[in-house]
Amino acid sequence: MEALGKRKRGDDAGGGDAGCSSGGGDRLSALPDHLLHEVMSRMKARQMVQTCALSRRWRHLWPKVPCLDIDQRELKAGHEKFDDFVYFLLRKVSVARLDAFRLHANEGGYDPGLVATSNASAWIRRAIMASAQAPPARDQGLTSPGSWRLRRLHLSGLRLDGLFAEHVRSRCPYLEDLELRVCKCRFRAIASGSLESLALIGCAAGAGVGEEFSEISSPALKSLVVDHGSNDIASPFVVTAPALAHLFLVVTPYNFPGGVSLGEMPSLARASVHLKTRETLAKRAHLRSHLFKILRSVSNVTSLELNGFDVTVKAGEESTEFPEFSNLRTLELDQCGLGHDIHVSGHILRKSPNLEKLTFTLSKSCWQVPVGEPPSYPELKNMRALTLRNYDPDDDFQTLGSFLQSSPVLENLTLQCCKSSKDTRRKKGTSKMKSIDQNLMDARCENLKLTKIIYRDDDVGQLVEFLLRFSRNLPNNNIRLVKVD
């Protein structure tokens, strides 16, 4: 009798039927090829290739996977070993027939200076040239020589030239998702009729003639992310994407020295704009102008996030630079001043008549108004939810009071990461708190239903007492305390 658990040597020799017929055999191998390819597509390349050692059933499966993910970090090897591995893979797998291709050839992670060797960049050129010589895959909807059926392409740590950009434009008719991370872009433009999502993260533009990356053009593009990077061009970076719905933009003096020119984007619903090294940006007159142009370009959004816009508005700029944000419903401000008249954030509040939800991150680096001169806000007649982050009850109570006075229909108030003085008897803090009481007596927030206080310290007594003192103006308000570590 055969020992329990032992199987005959030939059980793995055939196709999936052998495993299926023996009630407890290799059920995974019994699955049809397309399901096994789906499983293998979720593996990194090295692990995927290793499946050929499982049995003869698996030996020829991996070269036909629809998705290939090559990551140098998985191999934990130097450039030479990695070069050999990728060369071997791309001889076996046709990139033209893949649905998704990801190649991470940068051991340095996010550092733009650590771009992979020239061999790594040649792989893409070799794959393009090889597909151009092969007959088109007519059974997959490709009728022109050299075309790829790729829908998703993610590249990291490569040097990409005009051949790559031209191939994306003319030979990738189904490409929907393109991500370039820490790549050297030696081409002028990314243009595609099918691209819906584009992310450029830490990329550097080429410096040669004709290599100045200065344009993105895609009529179908819905999501655009440009995060850091560097560029030497003096002219504006032009983005033409009329169907864009989501924009994430990190602006520094180094990635857009000539500014950004955004075309008409009537479908734009969400925008997130972050300024880095804002002191440098604010001092350069032409860059200030470009910042205001960005704001005008996103003025039709319903949701807007601004970070680092702690920029003051000079005399005369208000009437010429600030549009009406008539569609804006949700606004998030971080390191944008106090929303006072002299700040960009203050002007946006005044130009947003339909704002319903505001999240304001307070910062000690923000410009502070003197005691007795609290910031004044316009009547936010539609605002129903207010969140103040990094709220300090000893210093920010005037800001809170001004918001309560300006928000007659406010329903939900959240004070996050509240900081209470360790010395609750501090005379200076107590006198500050009392000085605002009389001014708040006129604040009527009858719709306020919930005030949530999220705090870290053991004592938020001053803040609760502060709210209770004018509770008659908040007849429907409930206070909820949430302590976090």
Side-chain angles (χ1 to χ4, degrees):
M1 180 181 294
E2 185 178 3
L4 184 64
K6 254 189 180 179
R7 62 179 182 179
K8 296 180 181 179
R9 187 181 295 271
D11 280 352
D12 64 348
D17 294 340
C20 218
S21 59
S22 63
D26 182 2
R27 295 185 179 181
L28 183 59
S29 295
L31 294 174
D33 285 4
H34 72 277
L35 290 181
L36 293 178
H37 283 148
E38 189 70 24
V39 173
M40 297 169 73
S41 293
R42 286 163 170 74
M43 301 177 182
K44 297 286 187 181
R46 182 185 182 185
Q47 187 181 24
M48 179 193 69
V49 173
Q50 288 173 338
T51 61
C52 69
L54 294 176
S55 70
R56 276 182 284 178
R57 167 80 172 98
W58 292 77
R59 189 169 299 169
H60 303 293
L61 283 174
W62 69 266
K64 298 179 182 179
V65 291
C67 304
L68 183 60
D69 186 351
I70 309 174
D71 194 331
Q72 185 170 359
R73 296 167 298 185
E74 182 199 15
L75 268 70
K76 299 179 182 178
H79 285 302
E80 187 174 344
K81 247 185 173 180
F82 186 58
D83 288 350
D84 293 340
F85 179 65
V86 176
Y87 180 72
F88 165 75
L89 279 177
L90 296 185
R91 286 183 60 193
K92 297 290 185 179
V93 180
S94 172
V95 176
R97 296 174 179 270
L98 292 174
D99 290 329
F101 181 41
R102 178 179 181 270
L103 175 56
H104 185 109
N106 179 14
E107 293 178 301
Y110 191 76
D111 188 349
L114 297 176
V115 179
T117 64
S118 58
N119 287 340
S121 304
W123 298 327
I124 298 299
R125 294 180 59 88
R126 189 179 297 116
I128 292 174
M129 300 302 292
S131 61
Q133 297 171 4
R138 299 181 183 276
D139 59 326
Q140 296 166 3
L142 300 176
T143 57
S144 59
S147 295
W148 290 2
R149 78 171 193 181
L150 275 176
R151 296 186 183 275
R152 187 168 70 253
L153 177 61
H154 291 190
L155 303 176
S156 176
L158 301 183
R159 293 183 178 93
L160 304 172
D161 57 15
L163 178 65
F164 168 78
E166 175 60 24
H167 194 76
V168 168
R169 185 189 70 82
S170 60
R171 293 291 185 266
C172 296
Y174 301 116
L175 187 62
E176 297 175 353
D177 179 10
L178 174 62
E179 177 182 298
L180 304 181
R181 185 182 294 266
V182 200
C183 288
K184 188 76 171 179
C185 300
R186 294 178 172 175
F187 49 77
R188 189 187 66 82
I190 290 179
S192 170
S194 60
L195 200 60
E196 296 183 0
S197 175
L198 173 62
L200 304 173
I201 304 171
C203 292
V209 177
E211 297 177 350
E212 301 89 352
F213 183 26
S214 58
E215 183 180 354
I216 295 172
S217 178
S218 178
L221 194 65
K222 297 178 182 178
S223 174
L224 174 62
V225 174
V226 181
D227 191 348
H228 287 84
S230 62
N231 203 327
D232 295 329
I233 61 171
S235 57
F237 190 94
V238 179
V239 177
T240 304
L244 199 67
H246 174 233
L247 173 67
F248 180 92
L249 195 62
V250 177
V251 181
T252 76
Y254 312 107
N255 62 350
F256 299 119
V260 184
S261 176
L262 300 172
E264 292 292 327
M265 299 177 292
S267 302
L268 191 64
R270 293 186 296 131
S272 178
V273 185
H274 298 240
L275 300 188
K276 303 296 181 182
T277 322
R278 59 183 180 277
E279 295 83 2
T280 304
L281 288 166
K283 290 178 182 178
R284 299 182 183 179
H286 72 289
L287 291 179
R288 285 178 58 87
S289 176
H290 285 303
L291 294 181
F292 293 136
K293 287 180 180 178
I294 292 175
L295 290 178
R296 290 200 299 271
S297 298
V298 301
S299 60
N300 61 315
V301 297
T302 57
S303 177
L304 177 63
E305 177 188 1
L306 298 179
N307 183 294
F309 271 81
D310 190 5
V311 179
T312 57
V313 180
K314 297 178 181 179
E317 287 181 328
E318 177 185 4
S319 59
T320 60
E321 303 291 356
F322 286 91
E324 188 89 1
F325 290 80
S326 56
N327 296 328
L328 191 61
R329 300 294 189 272
T330 302
L331 175 62
E332 183 171 340
L333 301 171
D334 189 354
Q335 299 184 52
C336 293
L338 288 175
H340 198 265
D341 286 342
I342 67 170
H343 287 104
V344 166
S345 54
H347 288 283
I348 293 177
L349 286 174
R350 283 161 177 74
K351 296 286 188 175
S352 305
N354 298 309
L355 186 65
E356 297 177 355
K357 182 179 180 180
L358 173 63
T359 300
F360 213 137
T361 301
L362 302 171
S363 171
K364 295 306 176 185
S365 63
C366 293
W367 178 78
Q368 300 287 331
V369 295
V371 175
E373 298 181 20
S376 60
Y377 300 110
E379 184 180 16
L380 303 169
K381 57 183 179 180
N382 291 306
M383 191 169 74
R384 288 171 169 76
L386 170 65
T387 297
L388 296 180
R389 293 174 177 166
N390 292 341
Y391 180 83
D392 187 333
D394 292 324
D395 295 322
D396 299 326
F397 60 92
Q398 290 186 339
T399 301
L400 172 60
S402 296
F403 272 119
L404 292 176
Q405 288 177 318
S406 304
S407 310
V409 297
L410 189 67
E411 296 178 356
N412 292 281
L413 171 65
T414 302
L415 305 176
Q416 289 186 2
C417 300
C418 298
K419 302 171 184 176
S420 173
S421 171
K422 292 183 179 179
D423 182 8
T424 56
R425 299 179 182 179
R426 189 175 64 174
K427 292 184 179 180
K428 185 177 180 181
T430 303
S431 62
K432 280 185 183 180
M433 197 75 74
K434 288 183 178 180
S435 66
I436 196 67
D437 285 358
Q438 188 59 45
N439 295 329
L440 287 176
M441 295 306 294
D442 295 331
R444 303 293 298 180
C445 292
E446 297 180 355
N447 292 327
L448 186 61
K449 300 175 182 178
L450 176 64
T451 297
K452 183 189 295 185
I453 303 174
I454 304 173
Y455 68 101
R456 296 180 183 276
D457 296 329
D458 292 333
D459 183 15
V460 289
Q462 286 190 36
L463 179 57
V464 174
E465 181 183 358
F466 169 68
L467 292 170
L468 291 176
R469 282 186 180 179
F470 62 99
S471 58
R472 61 176 181 158
N473 293 343
L474 312 172
N476 300 309
N477 185 41
N478 294 294
I479 298 176
R480 180 186 301 171
L481 302 179
V482 179
K483 185 177 181 180
V484 295
D485 296 331

